[in-house]
Amino acid sequence: MRASEYFVHGCDPTALIVRQIMEDAVVTVSPTSKAMAVAELLSEHNFGSVPVVERDQTLRGLVTEFDLLKAVEQGKDLREVTVEEIMTRDVVTTTENMPLMSLIHLLQERHLIRVPVVKDRRLIGMVARRDVIFGYVKARAVYWP
């Protein structure tokens, strides 16, 4: 759930931080999950990627649609391949205190759609371009008492 969904007063959207717009209910997978299970998960929920975490929520990587396509192109059977074998390990992350304008810069500079939010290497949320737009709209909304 995004904190911005509960805004009751308009505010300056440039004063927002990641914690206010990120999604904290994140679907994750383990490194030992099969790639086919991830493909099904992404298809079913219309996600573009899913974070790979240890039991203690330590972020290990990200499995993207691109990772799955690459595995298929290489002739790998997604029913046999584990997430750990195909995941992107060098993941760009952000913190919950990053200002909105810095996040926008990061997303645009790196051509990213979404970024994991971490605290002490543990996943605490995900933030996407769509969340930035949603937060901006909610911050600019006119609320009636």
Side-chain angles (χ1 to χ4, degrees):
M1 185 67 75
R2 298 182 211 112
S4 55
E5 292 183 41
Y6 297 102
F7 284 176
V8 292
H9 300 290
C11 64
D12 177 3
T14 63
L16 296 175
I17 59 174
V18 167
R19 180 183 327 108
Q20 295 171 295
I21 63 170
M22 73 180 197
E23 179 63 55
D24 61 5
V26 181
V27 174
T28 62
V29 295
S30 78
T32 58
S33 299
K34 294 295 184 188
M36 186 64 159
V38 174
E40 292 169 352
L41 184 69
L42 296 183
S43 297
E44 181 182 328
H45 294 286
N46 199 25
F47 295 154
S49 67
V50 64
V52 182
V53 297
E54 296 291 344
R55 283 194 175 133
D56 67 355
Q57 291 302 108
T58 299
L59 182 66
R60 291 277 311 277
L62 202 63
V63 176
T64 67
E65 294 166 323
F66 182 82
D67 297 324
L68 293 167
L69 291 174
K70 186 176 172 184
V72 170
E73 182 182 42
Q74 294 171 347
K76 296 179 180 175
D77 184 342
L78 297 184
R79 297 171 297 180
E80 303 298 322
V81 176
T82 65
V83 164
E84 191 165 35
E85 295 174 64
I86 66 167
M87 70 183 184
T88 299
R89 296 172 191 278
D90 187 22
V91 178
V92 175
T93 62
T94 186
T95 64
E96 63 184 331
N97 295 317
M98 179 181 264
L100 179 75
M101 297 310 285
S102 296
L103 175 63
I104 291 171
H105 179 75
L106 175 68
L107 292 170
Q108 291 186 169
E109 180 181 81
R110 297 306 255 333
H111 303 282
L112 300 171
I113 296 171
R114 66 194 60 81
V115 181
V117 182
V118 295
K119 183 175 187 176
D120 300 324
R121 296 182 32 208
R122 287 188 169 82
L123 182 73
I124 60 169
M126 289 288 283
V127 64
R129 294 183 301 201
R130 181 175 297 162
D131 299 319
V132 174
I133 300 302
F134 181 84
Y136 184 92
V137 168
K138 290 293 282 186
R140 286 289 187 203
V142 176
Y143 297 93
W144 300 97

